[in-house]
Amino acid sequence: MTKETMSSDDDNFTLSDLKRRKKKKKRPVPNGDDDDDAKPKRKPVSNASSTSSSKKRFRPKPDGIVSSHTPEPVMSSSNKRRKSISTEKKKKTASTAKPRTLKKLEKIERLQYAMQAFLWWDAPSPPEGCQWRTMEHACVSFPDLYQPHGIQMLYNGEPVEITPAQEEAATFFAATDPEGMHLGNPKTAKIFIKNFFADFRAVLGRRHIIKDFTKCDFEPIRRHLNEQKIIKKAITDVEKKERKAGTNRTLFRHGFALVDGHLERVGNYNMEPPGTFRGRGAHPKMGKIKSRVIPEQVQLNVSECAPAPQCSVPGHAWGEVRHDPQVQWLAQWKENINNQVKYMQLAAQSSFKGKSDRQKYNKAALLCLNIGKIRTATRKALRAKKTEDRQLATAVWVIDRLALRVGGEKDTDEEADTVGCCSLRVEHVTFDPNEEGGDNKEIELEFLGKDSMLYKQTIDFGSELYNQSDNMGKQVYDNFKKFCKNKRKSEEIFDKITPIMLNQHLKQFMNGLTAKVFRTYNASKTLQDELAKTEQSSAWRSRTAAEKVVEYNNANREVAILCNHQRSVSKAQETQLETLGGKLETLKRQKKVLKKMLKLITAGKTEKIPVKKSEREMIEAAAEAIASAKRMKEEAKTDAEKIAATEADEAAKQQRRDCNDGKFTQAHLWEKIPSQDQVIKKINSWTAKIAKMEMNLKHKDDNKEVSLGTSKINYMDPRISVAWCKRNEVPIEKIFPISLRGKFNWAMAVEPDWEFNAGIAKQK
DNA sequence: GTGCCGACTTAGCATGACGAGC
DNA sequence: GCTCGTCATGCTAAGTCGGCAC
């Protein structure tokens, strides 16, 4: 432990320390009333060359901070005109207007300011091999100790006496959703229950009455947990505020670190609470009980001169305090399920992550320079005499063209059985899956990849896409056939090579090249090429920003499909799609009725035209139910009253939904007989509504199983997106949410004509 | 050469915050 | 002003890869 310790109730340590260090460099503050503030003065400078004008326009804006000198993001020309007019007006009224008062910033906003003041790409690097010079932080925040609820589970239909520790374990199981991804699937439920019950019995002890899982009934505890959720929903605004303040106290104490004198955000400062292990797919250890981590299991990493934080759990102390500037982690501990080390690290917006991100994308850009020679060498090696060389070349082709991961070896007793390129087995490929015969060169690849996500695609190795001038696709197909010949289904296709050999092979072409660089390269290249295709179309210039964003998302989707980034469709999403489909059908039916009405009016048979039924009663009843539920919520004191209020609220909301549905079903009608013009107008309006809803539904359906975020966060060079936004006058916030603008702050100053190519790589 | 482990990146899911639309 | 759907964020599992020990 160190000589100096931090006060456990000092939630301002980062700020006060910052003040201490910056005392001599004190700057004007945004509020003018608080010396805690640190306001950025310098402009971020791009690592790529840029003109002063573009820097002015695209300098990253400190998010959430109102600042008169902060440049606006890209604006459309009409926006610029509006802005110019409004500026004129302001000038005219300036002499008569009251002096403007600056917005009072929240503490979190002020800290944000302090962090954004640090432009790491301008700062001197730490010594060779080191990640930092000084580091100071408050380490992890531990979850509260378990508070027993006293609700007894049933065994053989009878309540059983259990200790608080046993009750905690039972509560872990009760908290698992019976319809969820673990217990909702009979195959995984079996593994989950087996593992949980083994650990639960260890907690119960040998002599305990509970011996058979089928006689266990966790329903009373599950009911109790559901009631707690309902009570939580019924909290008042004041209670909400108090809860938020509590969360913020933890954030201010543990969520920031001082690295080389700069404030940085910590990523995961909350210690993982105990519970059941939620491994993905058919993980053999799912359901096992994850133990509570105590401070003695935690090692911290702080600089020698920094005070080690005081342990916040009374009666406990840190396991070890280390001073290792060669690593990024702030704290580490071992978890009991897989015996793996877990780390507390800085957040994605930090300088550490920013530096490695930039390095990663520059390395991928460098591949532009080398991809030609790699492909030429691969083409030759596909026919090499040595099987090992042919396997290496085939694997490189698969990683390059199909964007598969390298696929390390796994122990299926300890982990889920998932594979990548090198670990593909004969059972994962089907030749000529559609039994077309002849010269068919199709292979169906079907396997579980990372996170047990299904990869299922039929590749036509004989197609133009994979052959062009070099016929590589056909050769790869032949190689696959040879590698699978005379092998059992459970044998590896690439049995002569390993990921280590493959990466060593790649390094002869380019320093630092590994298999995963291909995914970054291909994702970035695909995005750039897809965006270029749309920009070249004649109608592009006349498109609105919203339409351009749709095209961006389409390009993003191509990348996500290439990288097989999927997401599962939730029940809520399915219901929503069904509801939308139902609404669309209603609109179409209503349009038919409207057309019929038009015919009746033309024929003078207005008496046959249906009119709208009164909705007043229905609306009033729903409004009264809502008001009554609100009163109940406000007056609720006890848990029972809170539960009743929440239930009344849910029922009232359902009543209002029914009311809205009722209104929707007769929205095409009038209270009186309409005129011909009115009907024609409504038919046109309904046609537009139907078209809009059809487009919306298609868009939702197309994207429901594709996860766009993963490629945006990890694979596509952000500079491509920033440059595209600048070229096309699309505000960057339409593409990158606030967290990504923070993560990619180093990329914000690129020129509009910036390109992901070998030239960029040469600059580095 | 091989296996193991540490360090860091990549990944999907759950949940809460927020904002568009009524 | 309120609600509901969407999106952002937090959480933590699951990969890759380098380096070290044997």
Side-chain angles (χ1 to χ4, degrees), chain A residues 365 368 520-536 552 555-556 558-559 715-721 723-724 727 752-758 760:
Chain A
C368 297
T520 315
Y521 162 78
N522 276 314
S524 300
K525 192 82 177 47
T526 305
L527 175 74
Q528 183 163 275
D529 293 349
E530 289 297 317
L531 291 176
K533 274 185 208 167
T534 51
E535 283 180 277
Q536 281 156 10
Y552 179 91
N556 192 168
E558 289 302 314
V559 178
Y715 286 110
M716 301 180 328
D717 192 322
R719 291 169 292 192
I720 301 170
S721 303
W724 179 86
R727 278 199 302 280
D753 59 354
W754 188 92
E755 271 187 45
F756 178 80
N757 59 25
I760 297 306

Side-chain angles (χ1 to χ4, degrees), chain A residues 235-293:
Chain A
I235 61 167
T236 61
D237 288 349
V238 177
E239 288 168 323
K240 255 185 206 168
K241 226 174 171 179
E242 279 169 10
R243 186 174 293 171
K244 181 81 185 159
T247 315
N248 276 348
R249 270 196 297 277
T250 313
L251 168 70
F252 295 141
R253 177 158 156 67
H254 298 273
F256 297 88
L258 269 175
V259 181
D260 292 340
H262 301 287
L263 200 56
E264 300 258 26
R265 190 76 190 262
V266 178
N268 52 330
Y269 55 88
N270 284 325
M271 172 55 74
E272 294 176 19
T276 48
F277 175 68
R278 313 284 176 99
R280 312 234 171 96
H283 197 293
K285 292 188 175 178
M286 66 165 67
K288 283 180 75 64
I289 297 176
K290 249 175 73 168
S291 320
R292 183 178 291 273
V293 177

Side-chain angles (χ1 to χ4, degrees), chain A residues 177-329:
Chain A
D177 180 4
E179 303 296 319
M181 63 187 284
H182 298 98
L183 292 178
N185 173 346
K187 195 181 159 193
T188 51
K190 205 176 156 188
I191 309 170
F192 193 96
I193 289 168
K194 183 177 154 261
N195 286 329
F196 166 75
F197 198 58
D199 283 4
F200 187 40
R201 285 204 65 190
V203 178
L204 292 170
R206 276 188 182 181
R207 291 182 185 173
H208 203 279
I209 174 182
I210 296 175
K211 293 195 185 323
D212 181 357
F213 180 81
T214 56
K215 291 179 184 168
C216 293
D217 185 357
F218 297 91
E219 205 45 43
I221 302 179
R222 190 166 280 145
R223 258 200 311 276
H224 167 75
L225 295 176
N226 286 338
E227 280 174 9
Q228 293 303 308
K229 274 185 197 165
I230 294 171
I231 293 166
K232 200 178 158 192
K233 269 189 193 172
I235 61 167
T236 61
D237 288 349
V238 177
E239 288 168 323
K240 255 185 206 168
K241 226 174 171 179
E242 279 169 10
R243 186 174 293 171
K244 181 81 185 159
T247 315
N248 276 348
R249 270 196 297 277
T250 313
L251 168 70
F252 295 141
R253 177 158 156 67
H254 298 273
F256 297 88
L258 269 175
V259 181
D260 292 340
H262 301 287
L263 200 56
E264 300 258 26
R265 190 76 190 262
V266 178
N268 52 330
Y269 55 88
N270 284 325
M271 172 55 74
E272 294 176 19
T276 48
F277 175 68
R278 313 284 176 99
R280 312 234 171 96
H283 197 293
K285 292 188 175 178
M286 66 165 67
K288 283 180 75 64
I289 297 176
K290 249 175 73 168
S291 320
R292 183 178 291 273
V293 177
I294 58 167
E296 282 75 4
Q297 292 169 261
V298 178
Q299 290 182 13
L300 356 162
N301 193 20
V302 289
S303 48
E304 247 169 317
C305 56
Q310 191 181 52
C311 177
S312 55
V313 186
H316 287 265
W318 302 118
E320 191 187 336
V321 180
R322 282 168 59 174
H323 317 289
D324 185 356
Q326 294 188 332
V327 293
Q328 294 184 0
W329 57 264

